[in-house]
Every structure is written in C-alpha cells, then in structure tokens.
Amino acid sequence: DWSSDVCSSDLFNYFASYLHIGPSSGSGRGPRNMMMTPLEFFAAITPDCQRLHGVGAGVHVEVTEEEIRAKKIAIDTSPVKDSVLNKIGELGLLSYEDYCFLVSLLSTPRRYIETQFNLFDVTGSQSIDVKEFSFVSSKMAHKAGGFGSYTDQDQAEKMASSSGLLNYMFGINRDKVVTKEDFKKLQTDLLGEIIELEFLEYDKDNSGRISEADFVTFLLKNGRITSKRKAALIKRVQSKWPSKGRGVSLASFKKFFYVLAGGVELERALFFLDVEGIGVDKEEFRKISSWVSGMDTSDHIVEVLFTLLDGDEDERLQGDELTPVLKDWTHSRGYDKGGIHVSLGEIRI
C-alpha cells in the first residue's frame, strides 16, 4: 500500500523525477533536493493513475536553477482548461514541503479552510507572507509524531528555492502576500482540477459522462476488499445500469467528490442522525451528503450508492456498510494523513 503515509519522503521520492542542484556557496557544492512536477503530484495522490507513473526512488534527472528558470526541462501538462497545475509548473517544480502542503490543502474540508489559513497567518495580519508560509509548511513536512526543528537556515533555503508553488503564491521576488480569499481560491482551483483529472481517467472519449460501473470502480479502487468481492459489487451496479445507462456527469461526480474528501464529516453526521442504529434512507443520506459538500448531491448518485452498498436491500444504509468505503477511499489518496486536526479541550476537529 504505497499511500499508507502520504507525507513520507519515500512516497514523494518515488514520484519525484528531478534532483534540483542549488547554487554553490564558496568552495562547497550547492544543496541537492528532490522535486516533482505538478502532474507527478497528481499521480502521487491518485491510485493507479494512468496519466503518469512513479519513476521509482533513486531514479531522477539532475536539473540546475538556471535550467529551470530558462525552462529547459520538459514538463507534462494538464489538459484541464485554465489549469492551476500548469500555471505552477510554468514557474518551477514542487518541493517536499510543497507536496505536503498541497495534500493538506486538498484534505481540509472547505468549511474549515479559514482555520487552515489562520494556522499559516502567524502574525494575525489577515494575510500570509512567504516567511510565515515557509515557517509553517516546513514544520508540517518535517515531523515525526509532532513538529520538527526549524532554523533560520531552513527558512532562508525555503525562500530561496525554485519552488513553482512559492513563485505562484508569492511572486518570483517573494514580495506578494496571500489573502484569505487567495487561499480559498487556491483550494477551490486545485481541488476542482484534481477532480476533473480523476474524471478523465474514466471519460476516455471526453463525452462528459462516465458509466455507473466506472463510478463505483472509482469508489472501490484500492479498497481493502478482495478482487472477487469488488468484481461482484461492480457487476451488481452494471446489471442495473448497462454500459449505455444514464451515466454520471462531471458535475455530479464533482459534487460527490467533495463529499468523499470530507469523509470524516459525513461519518460524524451519519452517527448523530442514526442514533437508533437503523441506518438512513436515501433522502436522509442525500441531505447529509449535500450538507457535507455544500452542494446538492444528485439523486442518481445516491441511487447508485444504495445499489452498491445496500446488500440486504432494506432501503437503508448502515454506517458499517458505508464507513469502510469512505475510509479506504481517503486512505488510498492520503487524505486521512494530510488533514489538519484542531483540538479544543475534549473536541477534536
């Protein structure tokens, strides 16, 4: 299971294909750090990604700062219109700290994005400068059971790096600041593109729709169930909606992706609604998932889910029928590891 610890350097190094050679200082050689392209980041958080594959630890191309600035390296591009990954890639590569930050950004439910912004806004100025971002992102990345050490040298290295993310957020001269709205927009743009790229993994003919069987394959991909069980579940859905069935649109796919990305929120809401332990019906589930995502969940998506998971066909979905799918989905992408947790007394968010 390559995603058991999403922010491990081993996983990062498996997908990162460039060894960045920094400027030398004095008689010593410059710092050497592994870096990845934005599409390699997508591959790292997408199980069995068909667009790019990991190159393997120790396999890399050496690249200098001058070569990056002169755009002498070939970088795969995203097909998504107005791609934020392409905009970042035009400005440089992604460091390990960038990688961990982006996973954290994706795995933070939208309702808590302001909390994450406040974590980076160390001075409380309602904006984040590059020093604040470098300080917090380095602490997030280099930790083992807690925040690691951080020195002025770490900050200087981070601020001087050729990070495409830093260039995108703070400008090449690092003289820009990120407001709360900028921070929210980055999450929205990034998550929207990740969703569309995942959808395109199945929408081979660019029709704007995928089959119900493709949708449940997406849900169960890298789930911890046997291949035989997975095939039986997919067949159950496929028998109800053959290949030319109604299908799932990109809009419906996107709305439910937000539900999955906020999986813990869905789990918590189901627990409080179903205190009797009798499960929830389709309308109750639709309302809960719409609350989690902040968008109206498609009736058809709910129908597909119940066909997939309601094995006893009692028209009610139990927590133990849904929770394993949610946990496997978030675990396979590292969202369970990347989220920021806030404790308020006995309450943990």
Side-chain angles (χ1 to χ4, degrees), residues 49 52 60 64 68 81 95 100 110 161 231 246 258 278 280:
C49 175
L52 285 178
H60 55 256
T64 64
I68 292 176
K81 184 180 179 181
S95 68
C100 291
R110 292 192 302 162
S161 77
R246 174 177 169 179
Y258 278 106
I278 60 173
V280 294

Side-chain angles (χ1 to χ4, degrees), residues 64-83:
T64 64
E65 182 70 23
E66 292 74 21
E67 289 172 324
I68 292 176
R69 290 185 185 276
K71 299 183 179 180
K72 291 184 178 180
I73 58 174
I75 295 180
D76 290 295
T77 57
S78 165
V80 174
K81 184 180 179 181
D82 202 27
S83 161

